[in-house]
Amino acid sequence: MNLKDHLDARILVAMHAAGISDAPAVVKPSSRTGFGHYQANGMMGAAKSLKTNPRALAEKVTAVLCNDEDFNLEIAGPGFINITLSDTFLSNKLSEVRGSPRLGVEEHATRKFVIDYSAPNLAKEMHIGHLRPTTIGDAAVRILEFLGQDVIRANHVGDWGAQFGSLLAYMEQIATDEEALGAELKDLERFYQSASALFREDEAFATKARGYVVKLQSGDERCMALWRRFINESVTHCQAVYDKLNITLTPADIMAESAYNDDLPVVVKELHQNGLLVTSDGAKCVFLDEFKGKDGKPLPAIIQKSDGGYPYMASDLAAVRYRAQLLETDEALYFVGAPQQLHLRQVFAVATAAGYIGVQQKFRHLPFGSIMKSDGTPFKTRDGAAVKLASVLDEAIDRAYKIVSDKNPDLAEEDKRNVARVVGIGAVKYAELSKNRITDYIFSWDTMLSFEGNTAPYLQYAYTRIRSIFRREKIDTETLSGDLSLTEDAERLLAVKLLQFSEILDNVIEDYQANILCNYLFELAGMFMSFYESCPVLKAQPELKASRLLLVDLTARTLHQGLDLLGIETVEQM
Ligand code: ARG
């Protein structure tokens, strides 16, 4: 149980003992200065329903716990209870955390999660827009797995549809020259652009491309072979980006749109059997009362177009059906951009109406905003094209290399390169994760690569500084022992912060806001710095030194674990 829940449970028991039942304790971390940092606010609500004075209730509760060694309670304002954790409680809890490889974070009761994230369209190269779903989704995966959940990564890549017609026609055109084809495929974005330019400008090519779509859909062998080749090339490209970005996705996590092709007619049949399907202008649609267009007219969810083709909606319904019925997932989380909000609401609503999603099953869309340039316009190249993700990552590493070389010219070349990679990639990811998921954010190299402020380089550097304490003194952290004693306020603040790690992870997964964890790590590093400034460690007398080294080590471990859960690497020296 995390610290907050632990205190909540303790206060609740005291409330019962004081004759207050059926009211929650509502313990929250409080921002008041000093240490303790928790407050119980439940007396307010309880007093209302009991028609009495909240202060009187608070007095009864504090009387029950007045001799408790774990904390000191104090009534504040109209009837809040301020909770100050005792030094004994803090050091006992810290010892527990220290002895646990999981830093005291308990595993939750296991539930099954399908995490739909990254999901690029394979017709193009991954672009900067994919940074958000990929990074945020992967952090969610890592945190849920750390909390003991059964996680299925679902990379719902777009590998089907009309856009492949021109790609295949273009491939066919150059397929006679194997070398040229191989070379062209190296740059998927250009390949795509050349093909679509031809589609726009050359009527004969366009006709051929349309024919290829039909052929592909009917399973024509030659077309399928070309398509497979293109998809393989594209998947290899994505995997290279994932590897560079330290994303846990592998090709085995791909469950592409085309994987549901055989299920599409089944979905249509089942929707029909359920009486949900209506033919409108030749298309098969589902109309639900809750969806109305701007004009107030019912908004259809189109399941099959009049030409027999299946739109995005259909493969998404098949995917829900698969995830809910076959995988029997407890929850499915969709990390998909905000513009697809209506689409996913329709998908979930139709799937619920069709009985695909059971009452206990939770399907959630976790939208996110866009990445903007400093002038507030969408992030595009000068000619309006999408910025390739691979180039962004290379630039990040190059920029970090310059900074690292300036900061530490004596570092061996190989180390410099490694630090540059870790810092550059970390900076880009952290810039994503440290913002509220829902809002747009401005992409700024200078901000994200700064060694000051709430950035990856700041935290990575803080980590190396902490680790250097042990390195300089040649102390093996495995051999640290002794009791923890807290004598200074800076130590107590750091202690409470360290104990909050588990609570923070629980907060993150309420709404998958990784910025909660980022803020926590940033504050932890800051509290460590104040502790280190005001409390001598190496120069302290032996017992105090031993105790403080334990705090130092626990801080390093917490930073390391926290960054790892965000998918951000650390180094020992930079
Ligand atoms: N491939 C889609 C796109 O690029 C995103 C897919 C998201 N997942 C889903 N189940 N619809 O827009």
Side-chain angles (χ1 to χ4, degrees):
M1 204 186 285
N2 71 45
L3 182 55
K4 182 188 102 37
D5 291 345
H6 171 84
L7 297 173
D8 206 88
R10 296 286 305 273
I11 299 290
L12 199 63
V13 170
M15 284 167 73
H16 277 268
I20 313 162
S21 44
D22 296 330
V26 205
V27 169
K28 291 189 179 129
S30 95
S31 53
R32 78 200 159 93
T33 48
F35 37 91
H37 294 286
Y38 284 88
Q39 192 173 63
N41 294 343
M43 304 327 121
M44 316 304 282
K48 217 178 233 161
S49 46
L50 292 171
K51 298 203 173 42
T52 155
N53 170 340
R55 261 193 99 91
L57 293 185
E59 265 155 30
K60 283 191 192 169
V61 174
T62 49
V64 174
L65 291 167
C66 65
N67 288 322
D68 200 289
E69 289 186 349
D70 286 350
F71 36 64
N72 178 38
L73 303 183
E74 201 187 327
I75 302 169
F80 306 123
I81 302 177
N82 285 339
I83 307 168
T84 305
L85 299 161
S86 75
D87 289 349
T88 327
F89 175 85
L90 290 177
S91 51
N92 286 346
K93 279 275 165 217
L94 280 175
S95 299
E96 265 173 54
V97 169
R98 207 174 66 76
S100 135
R102 306 177 43 82
L103 295 168
V105 179
E106 285 167 21
E107 296 198 0
H108 293 194
T110 307
R111 304 173 70 236
K112 198 184 248 187
F113 283 79
V114 169
I115 318 280
D116 185 316
Y117 74 112
S118 192
N121 185 339
L122 294 184
K124 305 183 190 180
E125 269 203 47
M126 284 181 82
H127 58 80
I128 190 154
H130 292 113
L131 198 54
R132 302 210 84 179
T134 307
T135 311
I136 300 175
D138 205 51
V141 163
R142 288 168 188 262
I143 294 172
L144 286 170
E145 282 188 338
F146 185 68
L147 292 174
Q149 302 305 323
D150 180 2
V151 174
I152 298 172
R153 294 162 176 76
N155 197 358
H156 190 83
V157 298
D159 67 339
W160 203 248
Q163 59 207 349
F164 286 90
S166 31
L167 287 173
L168 297 186
Y170 189 55
M171 267 175 104
E172 178 77 279
Q173 200 161 305
I174 37 181
T176 42
D177 183 350
E178 180 51 38
E179 213 171 290
L181 179 59
E184 287 251 1
L185 281 173
K186 287 272 162 294
D187 189 339
L188 294 178
E189 193 60 32
R190 218 183 49 209
F191 194 92
Y192 176 77
Q193 275 165 13
S194 313
S196 12
L198 271 178
F199 186 84
R200 279 192 309 271
E201 288 148 21
D202 180 341
E203 197 37 56
F205 180 88
T207 311
K208 203 160 125 200
R210 285 188 207 101
Y212 272 72
V213 179
V214 179
K215 273 182 162 181
L216 182 66
Q217 276 164 350
S218 62
D220 174 86
E221 241 168 75
R222 167 89 185 129
C223 269
M224 290 296 282
L226 284 173
W227 172 76
R228 248 180 249 118
R229 168 142 188 213
F230 185 87
I231 296 299
N232 281 343
E233 199 69 45
S234 192
V235 166
T236 308
H237 156 79
C238 290
Q239 192 57 43
V241 172
Y242 294 149
D243 292 345
K244 192 172 262 182
L245 250 188
N246 187 23
I247 295 298
T248 60
L249 285 167
T250 68
D253 301 315
I254 292 179
M255 180 80 181
E257 283 182 27
S258 68
Y260 300 102
N261 282 353
D262 291 347
D263 297 342
L264 302 177
V266 184
V267 168
V268 168
K269 195 180 89 201
E270 289 172 349
L271 292 176
H272 177 69
Q273 282 165 352
N274 282 321
L276 288 165
L277 222 49
V278 175
T279 305
S280 167
D281 290 335
K284 292 186 175 139
C285 310
V286 176
F287 288 94
L288 295 176
D289 287 344
E290 57 196 284
F291 298 102
K292 298 245 176 354
K294 283 200 193 82
D295 50 5
K297 288 210 187 98
L299 197 68
I302 304 172
I303 317 296
Q304 190 173 18
K305 294 185 289 186
S306 53
D307 65 3
Y310 295 99
Y312 188 42
M313 178 71 65
S315 50
D316 253 326
L317 277 171
V320 170
R321 179 177 171 275
Y322 174 75
R323 293 165 181 180
Q325 309 265 297
L326 276 97
L327 297 178
E328 300 184 313
T329 194
D330 294 305
E331 273 194 50
L333 308 176
Y334 287 63
F335 290 91
V336 182
Q340 296 194 30
Q341 189 122 30
L342 175 62
H343 165 75
L344 287 172
R345 267 182 52 218
Q346 280 190 307
V347 170
F348 298 159
V350 174
T352 306
Y356 291 157
I357 303 180
V359 250
Q360 302 291 347
Q361 293 174 308
K362 219 157 116 186
F363 276 65
R364 282 177 78 180
H365 175 206
L366 298 150
F368 45 81
S370 316
I371 305 181
M372 301 294 189
K373 284 202 288 203
S374 56
D375 59 3
T377 60
F379 209 97
K380 292 262 162 72
T381 59
R382 242 173 260 126
D383 54 7
V387 177
K388 291 183 187 188
L389 187 47
S391 336
V392 173
L393 302 184
D394 288 341
E395 182 167 352
I397 297 172
D398 286 348
R399 284 175 180 260
Y401 181 82
K402 290 200 190 79
I403 298 172
V404 171
S405 309
D406 282 349
K407 275 202 187 299
N408 194 351
D410 300 335
L411 211 59
E413 180 60 21
E414 194 186 323
D415 292 334
K416 260 188 220 162
R417 298 225 164 264
N418 188 45
V419 174
R421 182 186 62 80
V422 169
V423 168
I425 298 295
V428 171
K429 291 178 90 174
Y430 195 87
E432 282 295 328
L433 296 164
S434 56
K435 310 290 185 311
N436 180 311
R437 170 168 60 71
I438 321 243
T439 47
D440 294 345
Y441 87 92
I442 289 175
F443 189 94
S444 154
W445 286 119
D446 292 341
T447 314
M448 70 176 78
L449 282 164
S450 168
F451 276 70
E452 273 151 49
N454 189 7
T455 65
Y458 168 78
L459 291 174
Q460 290 167 321
Y461 185 59
Y463 176 76
T464 61
R465 276 185 57 191
I466 301 174
R467 295 287 300 156
S468 75
I469 298 171
F470 297 109
R471 200 171 44 249
R472 270 188 282 127
E473 291 288 304
K474 301 203 170 40
I475 299 171
D476 176 1
T477 51
E478 298 286 315
T479 64
L480 293 177
S481 63
D483 289 331
L484 262 158
S485 60
L486 304 169
T487 56
E488 301 290 330
D489 281 357
E491 287 174 298
R492 295 188 181 97
L493 273 175
L494 182 60
V496 175
K497 199 77 190 167
L498 287 166
L499 292 180
Q500 285 173 334
F501 185 54
S502 161
E503 175 181 321
I504 290 299
L505 297 184
D506 289 343
N507 287 347
V508 171
I509 61 164
E510 275 169 26
D511 198 31
Y512 300 91
Q513 287 285 12
N515 61 342
I516 296 176
L517 178 55
C518 296
N519 290 341
Y520 167 80
L521 296 174
F522 179 57
E523 283 170 19
L524 174 65
M527 271 177 197
F528 177 82
M529 295 308 170
S530 340
F531 152 79
Y532 201 60
E533 270 158 33
S534 61
C535 304
V537 175
L538 299 173
K539 293 206 175 74
Q541 48 93 351
E543 262 167 48
L544 203 54
K545 176 176 169 181
S547 164
R548 287 183 177 164
L549 281 173
L550 292 177
L551 277 180
V552 174
D553 182 42
L554 200 52
T555 306
R557 282 175 58 198
T558 308
L559 277 179
H560 186 275
Q561 181 67 69
L563 286 171
D564 185 61
L565 291 176
L566 295 169
I568 294 178
E569 291 180 69
T570 45
V571 285
E572 291 295 307
Q573 239 173 317
M574 57 168 66

mmCIF file of all heavy atoms in Angstrom, residues 396-419:
data_model
loop_
_atom_site.group_PDB
_atom_site.id
_atom_site.type_symbol
_atom_site.label_atom_id
_atom_site.label_comp_id
_atom_site.label_asym_id
_atom_site.label_seq_id
_atom_site.Cartn_x
_atom_site.Cartn_y
_atom_site.Cartn_z
ATOM 1 N N ALA A 396 19.157 15.388 -32.360
ATOM 2 C CA ALA A 396 19.229 15.445 -30.892
ATOM 3 C C ALA A 396 20.581 14.923 -30.415
ATOM 4 O O ALA A 396 21.238 15.518 -29.550
ATOM 5 C CB ALA A 396 18.100 14.626 -30.281
ATOM 6 N N ILE A 397 21.011 13.799 -31.015
ATOM 7 C CA ILE A 397 22.277 13.194 -30.592
ATOM 8 C C ILE A 397 23.450 14.108 -30.978
ATOM 9 O O ILE A 397 24.381 14.314 -30.185
ATOM 10 C CB ILE A 397 22.418 11.776 -31.199
ATOM 11 C CG1 ILE A 397 21.290 10.882 -30.660
ATOM 12 C CG2 ILE A 397 23.778 11.184 -30.887
ATOM 13 C CD1 ILE A 397 21.193 9.520 -31.303
ATOM 14 N N ASP A 398 23.391 14.689 -32.175
ATOM 15 C CA ASP A 398 24.452 15.605 -32.612
ATOM 16 C C ASP A 398 24.568 16.807 -31.684
ATOM 17 O O ASP A 398 25.663 17.198 -31.281
ATOM 18 C CB ASP A 398 24.165 16.129 -34.036
ATOM 19 C CG ASP A 398 24.423 15.056 -35.079
ATOM 20 O OD1 ASP A 398 25.036 14.014 -34.711
ATOM 21 O OD2 ASP A 398 24.002 15.234 -36.238
ATOM 22 N N ARG A 399 23.405 17.382 -31.363
ATOM 23 C CA ARG A 399 23.421 18.553 -30.486
ATOM 24 C C ARG A 399 23.954 18.188 -29.106
ATOM 25 O O ARG A 399 24.723 18.935 -28.511
ATOM 26 C CB ARG A 399 22.018 19.146 -30.362
ATOM 27 C CG ARG A 399 21.587 19.928 -31.590
ATOM 28 C CD ARG A 399 20.150 20.381 -31.433
ATOM 29 N NE ARG A 399 19.679 21.129 -32.589
ATOM 30 C CZ ARG A 399 19.598 22.460 -32.646
ATOM 31 N NH1 ARG A 399 19.963 23.190 -31.611
ATOM 32 N NH2 ARG A 399 19.168 23.055 -33.730
ATOM 33 N N ALA A 400 23.519 17.037 -28.606
ATOM 34 C CA ALA A 400 23.976 16.615 -27.277
ATOM 35 C C ALA A 400 25.486 16.362 -27.309
ATOM 36 O O ALA A 400 26.197 16.670 -26.347
ATOM 37 C CB ALA A 400 23.236 15.361 -26.840
ATOM 38 N N TYR A 401 25.975 15.856 -28.430
ATOM 39 C CA TYR A 401 27.413 15.574 -28.543
ATOM 40 C C TYR A 401 28.218 16.865 -28.369
ATOM 41 O O TYR A 401 29.221 16.893 -27.656
ATOM 42 C CB TYR A 401 27.704 14.927 -29.897
ATOM 43 C CG TYR A 401 29.175 14.595 -30.082
ATOM 44 C CD1 TYR A 401 29.705 13.428 -29.531
ATOM 45 C CD2 TYR A 401 30.022 15.454 -30.778
ATOM 46 C CE1 TYR A 401 31.052 13.125 -29.664
ATOM 47 C CE2 TYR A 401 31.366 15.154 -30.921
ATOM 48 C CZ TYR A 401 31.881 13.995 -30.368
ATOM 49 O OH TYR A 401 33.207 13.702 -30.488
ATOM 50 N N LYS A 402 27.734 17.930 -29.007
ATOM 51 C CA LYS A 402 28.445 19.210 -28.886
ATOM 52 C C LYS A 402 28.446 19.692 -27.443
ATOM 53 O O LYS A 402 29.470 20.131 -26.913
ATOM 54 C CB LYS A 402 27.793 20.272 -29.786
ATOM 55 C CG LYS A 402 28.029 20.003 -31.252
ATOM 56 C CD LYS A 402 27.822 21.247 -32.121
ATOM 57 C CE LYS A 402 27.837 20.857 -33.596
ATOM 58 N NZ LYS A 402 26.545 20.254 -34.030
ATOM 59 N N ILE A 403 27.299 19.580 -26.800
ATOM 60 C CA ILE A 403 27.193 20.057 -25.412
ATOM 61 C C ILE A 403 28.105 19.233 -24.500
ATOM 62 O O ILE A 403 28.851 19.772 -23.684
ATOM 63 C CB ILE A 403 25.723 19.970 -24.919
ATOM 64 C CG1 ILE A 403 24.848 20.879 -25.792
ATOM 65 C CG2 ILE A 403 25.602 20.345 -23.456
ATOM 66 C CD1 ILE A 403 23.359 20.754 -25.542
ATOM 67 N N VAL A 404 28.056 17.930 -24.679
ATOM 68 C CA VAL A 404 28.856 17.039 -23.831
ATOM 69 C C VAL A 404 30.348 17.301 -24.054
ATOM 70 O O VAL A 404 31.136 17.360 -23.099
ATOM 71 C CB VAL A 404 28.513 15.563 -24.133
ATOM 72 C CG1 VAL A 404 29.461 14.614 -23.443
ATOM 73 C CG2 VAL A 404 27.083 15.259 -23.726
ATOM 74 N N SER A 405 30.732 17.503 -25.308
ATOM 75 C CA SER A 405 32.154 17.746 -25.602
ATOM 76 C C SER A 405 32.614 19.059 -24.968
ATOM 77 O O SER A 405 33.750 19.151 -24.498
ATOM 78 C CB SER A 405 32.398 17.814 -27.104
ATOM 79 O OG SER A 405 31.842 16.690 -27.706
ATOM 80 N N ASP A 406 31.724 20.071 -24.975
ATOM 81 C CA ASP A 406 32.077 21.337 -24.332
ATOM 82 C C ASP A 406 32.206 21.187 -22.829
ATOM 83 O O ASP A 406 33.111 21.716 -22.207
ATOM 84 C CB ASP A 406 30.979 22.395 -24.587
ATOM 85 C CG ASP A 406 31.097 22.965 -25.985
ATOM 86 O OD1 ASP A 406 32.134 22.700 -26.636
ATOM 87 O OD2 ASP A 406 30.150 23.650 -26.427
ATOM 88 N N LYS A 407 31.260 20.464 -22.254
ATOM 89 C CA LYS A 407 31.220 20.329 -20.800
ATOM 90 C C LYS A 407 32.349 19.475 -20.261
ATOM 91 O O LYS A 407 32.882 19.732 -19.198
ATOM 92 C CB LYS A 407 29.880 19.696 -20.368
ATOM 93 C CG LYS A 407 28.759 20.689 -20.202
ATOM 94 C CD LYS A 407 27.688 20.097 -19.275
ATOM 95 C CE LYS A 407 26.455 20.953 -19.193
ATOM 96 N NZ LYS A 407 26.631 22.298 -18.682
ATOM 97 N N ASN A 408 32.620 18.413 -20.982
ATOM 98 C CA ASN A 408 33.630 17.480 -20.479
ATOM 99 C C ASN A 408 34.549 17.016 -21.610
ATOM 100 O O ASN A 408 34.461 15.879 -22.071
ATOM 101 C CB ASN A 408 32.909 16.287 -19.813
ATOM 102 C CG ASN A 408 33.854 15.467 -18.981
ATOM 103 O OD1 ASN A 408 35.074 15.679 -19.017
ATOM 104 N ND2 ASN A 408 33.321 14.527 -18.231
ATOM 105 N N PRO A 409 35.478 17.910 -22.037
ATOM 106 C CA PRO A 409 36.319 17.588 -23.189
ATOM 107 C C PRO A 409 37.230 16.377 -22.932
ATOM 108 O O PRO A 409 37.672 15.723 -23.880
ATOM 109 C CB PRO A 409 37.148 18.861 -23.410
ATOM 110 C CG PRO A 409 36.878 19.763 -22.265
ATOM 111 C CD PRO A 409 35.726 19.256 -21.494
ATOM 112 N N ASP A 410 37.468 16.070 -21.658
ATOM 113 C CA ASP A 410 38.403 14.980 -21.345
ATOM 114 C C ASP A 410 37.794 13.592 -21.447
ATOM 115 O O ASP A 410 38.510 12.586 -21.372
ATOM 116 C CB ASP A 410 38.964 15.164 -19.929
ATOM 117 C CG ASP A 410 39.696 16.486 -19.812
ATOM 118 O OD1 ASP A 410 40.176 16.988 -20.859
ATOM 119 O OD2 ASP A 410 39.762 17.029 -18.685
ATOM 120 N N LEU A 411 36.485 13.541 -21.602
ATOM 121 C CA LEU A 411 35.830 12.230 -21.671
ATOM 122 C C LEU A 411 36.331 11.476 -22.916
ATOM 123 O O LEU A 411 36.545 12.088 -23.967
ATOM 124 C CB LEU A 411 34.321 12.475 -21.777
ATOM 125 C CG LEU A 411 33.370 11.452 -21.167
ATOM 126 C CD1 LEU A 411 33.632 11.308 -19.674
ATOM 127 C CD2 LEU A 411 31.923 11.911 -21.384
ATOM 128 N N ALA A 412 36.523 10.176 -22.785
ATOM 129 C CA ALA A 412 36.968 9.380 -23.939
ATOM 130 C C ALA A 412 35.913 9.477 -25.041
ATOM 131 O O ALA A 412 34.721 9.567 -24.750
ATOM 132 C CB ALA A 412 37.153 7.931 -23.522
ATOM 133 N N GLU A 413 36.362 9.429 -26.286
ATOM 134 C CA GLU A 413 35.472 9.605 -27.430
ATOM 135 C C GLU A 413 34.255 8.655 -27.376
ATOM 136 O O GLU A 413 33.120 9.058 -27.581
ATOM 137 C CB GLU A 413 36.276 9.393 -28.716
ATOM 138 C CG GLU A 413 35.489 9.544 -30.005
ATOM 139 C CD GLU A 413 34.852 10.928 -30.174
ATOM 140 O OE1 GLU A 413 35.320 11.891 -29.534
ATOM 141 O OE2 GLU A 413 33.865 11.031 -30.931
ATOM 142 N N GLU A 414 34.535 7.417 -27.056
ATOM 143 C CA GLU A 414 33.467 6.407 -27.023
ATOM 144 C C GLU A 414 32.416 6.768 -25.965
ATOM 145 O O GLU A 414 31.208 6.641 -26.195
ATOM 146 C CB GLU A 414 34.103 5.057 -26.691
ATOM 147 C CG GLU A 414 33.217 3.867 -26.945
ATOM 148 C CD GLU A 414 33.898 2.590 -26.453
ATOM 149 O OE1 GLU A 414 35.145 2.488 -26.593
ATOM 150 O OE2 GLU A 414 33.188 1.739 -25.904
ATOM 151 N N ASP A 415 32.918 7.239 -24.807
ATOM 152 C CA ASP A 415 31.991 7.645 -23.745
ATOM 153 C C ASP A 415 31.186 8.866 -24.157
ATOM 154 O O ASP A 415 29.990 8.957 -23.887
ATOM 155 C CB ASP A 415 32.759 7.941 -22.447
ATOM 156 C CG ASP A 415 33.357 6.683 -21.855
ATOM 157 O OD1 ASP A 415 32.805 5.593 -22.119
ATOM 158 O OD2 ASP A 415 34.390 6.781 -21.162
ATOM 159 N N LYS A 416 31.875 9.804 -24.813
ATOM 160 C CA LYS A 416 31.184 11.007 -25.281
ATOM 161 C C LYS A 416 30.017 10.624 -26.179
ATOM 162 O O LYS A 416 28.923 11.159 -26.070
ATOM 163 C CB LYS A 416 32.157 11.873 -26.103
ATOM 164 C CG LYS A 416 32.752 13.037 -25.339
ATOM 165 C CD LYS A 416 33.532 13.915 -26.296
ATOM 166 C CE LYS A 416 34.803 14.386 -25.620
ATOM 167 N NZ LYS A 416 35.807 14.876 -26.555
ATOM 168 N N ARG A 417 30.291 9.695 -27.095
ATOM 169 C CA ARG A 417 29.239 9.279 -28.032
ATOM 170 C C ARG A 417 28.074 8.633 -27.287
ATOM 171 O O ARG A 417 26.914 8.884 -27.586
ATOM 172 C CB ARG A 417 29.780 8.297 -29.069
ATOM 173 C CG ARG A 417 30.867 8.889 -29.924
ATOM 174 C CD ARG A 417 30.707 8.583 -31.408
ATOM 175 N NE ARG A 417 31.544 9.488 -32.171
ATOM 176 C CZ ARG A 417 31.129 10.624 -32.725
ATOM 177 N NH1 ARG A 417 29.851 10.965 -32.655
ATOM 178 N NH2 ARG A 417 31.967 11.421 -33.354
ATOM 179 N N ASN A 418 28.416 7.824 -26.324
ATOM 180 C CA ASN A 418 27.348 7.158 -25.572
ATOM 181 C C ASN A 418 26.539 8.168 -24.743
ATOM 182 O O ASN A 418 25.308 8.127 -24.734
ATOM 183 C CB ASN A 418 27.938 6.068 -24.669
ATOM 184 C CG ASN A 418 26.835 5.241 -24.027
ATOM 185 O OD1 ASN A 418 25.882 4.841 -24.697
ATOM 186 N ND2 ASN A 418 26.937 5.027 -22.724
ATOM 187 N N VAL A 419 27.253 9.086 -24.081
ATOM 188 C CA VAL A 419 26.557 10.094 -23.282
ATOM 189 C C VAL A 419 25.670 10.949 -24.201
ATOM 190 O O VAL A 419 24.519 11.255 -23.865
ATOM 191 C CB VAL A 419 27.559 10.974 -22.498
ATOM 192 C CG1 VAL A 419 26.832 12.114 -21.796
ATOM 193 C CG2 VAL A 419 28.333 10.136 -21.490
#
